[in-house]
Amino acid sequence: MRFFSHFESTKFSFWVSAYRGHNPANTFNAYYQQINAALKRNAKLIVIDPRCTKMAAKADKWLQVKPGTDGALALGMVYLMLKQKLYHTDFVSNWTNAPLLVRHDTGELLRASSFDPAIGDENIFAVIDPKTRQAAPYVSGKTLGFLPELEAEVEVPLKNGKTVWCKTVFSELKLSVALYTPEYVEEKTSIPADLLVDTVRMIVENSPSCWYSFNGVEQNLNATQTNRAICLFYALTGDYDHQGGNVINSPLPLLDYPFGFEFVTPEMFKKNIALSEHPLGPAGTLLSVPPHMVCKAIEEGHPYPVKGLIVFGANTISANPDSKKTMEALKQLDFHVHIDHFLNPTAQLADIVLPAATFWEAGSVGYPLAFEGNKWVLQWREPVAAPRGESKDVLWIIFELANRLGFTDNFWGGSIEAAFEHMLQPTGISLDTLKEREGGVFIQGPVAYQKYREKGFSSITGRVELFSQPLKDIGQAPLPEWKDPHTIFADAGISIDKYPFMLITAKLREFCQSQHRALPSLRKKHPHPFLEINSDKAEDLGIVAGDVVVLETMHGKIRLQARLTQKLARDVVCTQHGWWQACPDLGYSGEDIYSAEGANVNLLCSTQFTDEVSGSVHMRGLPCNVRKRTNDLSPNVGCFVNEKE
């Protein structure tokens, strides 16, 4: 889950986790500015990251988590909330499914239909009535009329004549996190037990708090359950949708419009390639499919063959794990169209490449992401130059394809401006008005809090689901759990002695994914692909700044230059994805993304290790080794100085 929060309160803690896929100083400048503004208002900042980023250096608490152990950390925080009774009793009792009953015999939520003959609805569950001490039906969206018991056990007579013992979800949750003491969490995450305790206290004592995570959590074999553990911890604080907490709003009506989804029939939805193996899929990404499953469908025809592909502005081979396997799959396509600004490695495999205009060369409706108090700016972004050569606006390409395939009526008669007008209609602002207003039109959305009190939550229980029956139904753990990646790697034969480091990746501010390394002004900042390594550990290995090193996993190896730093733990190394472009103006040749002589980190990733629920590939915290390479004659060898601390 990803939340945008309002920074309106002068007293709140801001819990941001950069390692969880979000380093705003490098990737989200508007958000970075908002955080800095909040800090000036005396907000507290907690950063969870293996690296001492610019944000971590400003933090009141920096938790230098061991890569791959975020789930253990989150469950340790849950443990402390429950053990020390720091949770928000009212929110947990009335707005989470903590009071609902779980059967001992099946491990499922107790359905009221199993003990009340008058109830036929399978989505009516049960709580304990404190007056009768018996199971009572809980109907989603209905007021109970009493405060249900959180921690209790009861024997329930079923309508078939048998009885079953049941515990509340809250009781089951306490049991499930009992292992995650501060001492156990320190052992697994390397975060000192005292620091963990102090951090949880800081969050509770500076309520309301808010948090932010991004795709780092999702690039992990514990992706779904780690996400759930973080959300569960936050639910226990009771700060959700409070001023100063995580507030969810849709200030622009156009953002609520389900563009295109009205055309997706149930039959079409069933053709989702990932549905059979991952029926719930990644959270919030309806219809998405993990790329490695698309490759499998191309090569093996399962669940059906994929024959064609249109790629819009993506370097699919460089951006996804196991680049060689992705390349082999794309070669087997009957028809491959690529639409982009550059002839990147993915475009090189296409049957047809269509040149795309840049956003400077195409008009569009947009809105800056820097908003406060639910006040947004809606803008018409006028093109500043005409498209060069044969390049076209991507929207023009899409509309032309729709026209030629017979979908003109569904695409506003082929008029892009008519589509913009349709999109703007809910705002009451015409496209002409938007074009006339220099700087855009300010829209003040309604500022409302605790909106769940009106309609509850969009779940089968109408509450925040600490216990997930849908996960239980597909054979997954209904309460968040964490599987130690190191145990899984050891079972797969990956020796810590052979691969003693853990590999993570991070983005550089100067480049966008795999773009812009051909621009001299930016490439001067980072001339060569590099590997960050702890200075003390590098000294032990005889590595000095600028040395060419080999970075190796059980799946492959690449060549990088050493950059020494004290901002990483001794057993963690960090590099970046996206190195392939040459920069002729500076004399730098391109990197072969399929070769061990190149710097493509995705050669090191295997689709062998994935999250069972979402299919996400484990790409953070990969076991690896680093060794100095000798007798390197590459023209790209340069010299790095030690990073300034």
Side-chain angles (χ1 to χ4, degrees), residues 498-628:
K498 187 174 181 180
Y499 300 105
F501 290 94
M502 287 174 287
L503 172 63
I504 60 173
T505 59
K507 294 175 183 175
L508 296 171
R509 185 178 180 87
E510 290 75 16
F511 309 133
C512 180
Q513 308 292 1
S514 67
Q515 300 181 70
H516 305 151
R517 287 168 175 82
L519 301 178
S521 60
L522 300 179
R523 189 63 175 268
K524 285 178 182 178
K525 302 286 186 179
H526 302 285
H528 310 291
F530 64 90
L531 181 78
E532 292 178 286
I533 184 171
N534 177 275
S535 304
D536 297 334
K537 187 64 177 180
E539 183 178 354
D540 293 345
L541 297 174
I543 295 172
V544 299
D547 275 350
V548 178
V549 296
V550 175
L551 174 64
E552 184 175 14
T553 69
M554 69 175 297
H555 198 64
K557 57 186 177 181
I558 57 175
R559 186 196 57 172
L560 302 162
Q561 287 190 337
R563 177 174 288 189
L564 277 52
T565 179
Q566 285 292 334
K567 296 180 180 181
L568 278 174
R570 287 175 61 90
D571 60 350
V572 177
V573 293
C574 179
T575 188
Q576 322 83 39
H577 96 281
W579 288 95
W580 66 272
Q581 281 181 303
C583 187
D585 290 351
L586 298 181
Y588 301 133
S589 59
E591 299 284 336
D592 184 346
I593 68 167
Y594 306 114
S595 170
E597 296 299 305
N600 176 17
V601 70
N602 280 326
L603 286 181
L604 310 184
C605 303
S606 169
T607 57
Q608 176 183 355
F609 304 106
T610 60
D611 176 49
E612 293 178 347
V613 179
S614 67
S616 300
V617 176
H618 189 87
M619 302 173 70
R620 305 292 177 108
L622 280 172
C624 66
N625 192 24
V626 179
R627 58 181 170 83
K628 182 176 179 178

Side-chain angles (χ1 to χ4, degrees), residues 310-316 319 336-342 344 346-347 353-357 394 397 512-515:
I310 302 179
V311 178
F312 288 89
N315 194 352
T316 308
H336 176 190
V337 179
H338 193 93
I339 303 166
D340 214 323
H341 306 138
F342 308 101
N344 60 37
T346 306
V353 178
L354 301 179
V394 169
I397 295 172
C512 180
Q513 308 292 1
S514 67
Q515 300 181 70

Side-chain angles (χ1 to χ4, degrees), residues 371-548:
F371 67 91
E372 290 190 35
N374 221 12
K375 187 175 184 179
W376 291 62
V377 184
L378 191 61
Q379 298 175 331
W380 169 253
R381 296 173 178 174
E382 190 74 22
V384 297
R388 301 185 64 182
E390 294 182 295
S391 63
K392 297 287 187 181
D393 177 10
V394 169
L395 277 179
W396 182 89
I397 295 172
I398 293 172
F399 272 62
E400 279 298 302
L401 283 173
N403 290 339
R404 299 185 190 199
L405 291 170
F407 295 107
T408 304
D409 292 343
N410 298 122
F411 279 76
W412 299 274
S415 169
I416 296 176
E417 292 213 347
F420 284 141
E421 289 283 11
H422 180 84
M423 183 173 69
L424 290 169
Q425 192 172 5
T427 69
I429 302 169
S430 70
L431 185 60
D432 286 341
T433 299
L434 205 59
K435 287 182 176 182
E436 292 168 1
R437 297 285 291 273
E438 230 178 276
V441 176
F442 287 88
I443 299 177
Q444 176 65 65
V447 179
Y449 304 106
Q450 300 181 52
K451 296 176 284 297
Y452 53 82
R453 291 186 177 274
E454 297 178 10
K455 297 181 180 179
F457 293 89
S458 56
S459 64
I460 61 173
T461 64
R463 294 173 171 236
V464 175
E465 301 208 328
L466 311 183
F467 180 104
S468 172
Q469 186 60 46
L471 279 175
K472 177 67 176 176
D473 290 342
I474 64 168
Q476 298 296 332
L479 289 168
E481 64 177 12
W482 176 73
K483 297 178 180 178
D484 191 338
H486 297 286
T487 301
I488 295 172
F489 295 141
D491 291 343
I494 303 177
S495 165
I496 294 179
D497 293 334
K498 187 174 181 180
Y499 300 105
F501 290 94
M502 287 174 287
L503 172 63
I504 60 173
T505 59
K507 294 175 183 175
L508 296 171
R509 185 178 180 87
E510 290 75 16
F511 309 133
C512 180
Q513 308 292 1
S514 67
Q515 300 181 70
H516 305 151
R517 287 168 175 82
L519 301 178
S521 60
L522 300 179
R523 189 63 175 268
K524 285 178 182 178
K525 302 286 186 179
H526 302 285
H528 310 291
F530 64 90
L531 181 78
E532 292 178 286
I533 184 171
N534 177 275
S535 304
D536 297 334
K537 187 64 177 180
E539 183 178 354
D540 293 345
L541 297 174
I543 295 172
V544 299
D547 275 350
V548 178

Side-chain angles (χ1 to χ4, degrees), residues 83-99:
K83 181 73 173 178
Q84 301 181 2
K85 297 185 178 180
L86 300 173
Y87 54 88
H88 193 287
T89 304
D90 176 68
F91 186 84
V92 173
S93 299
N94 293 308
W95 297 107
T96 78
N97 68 357

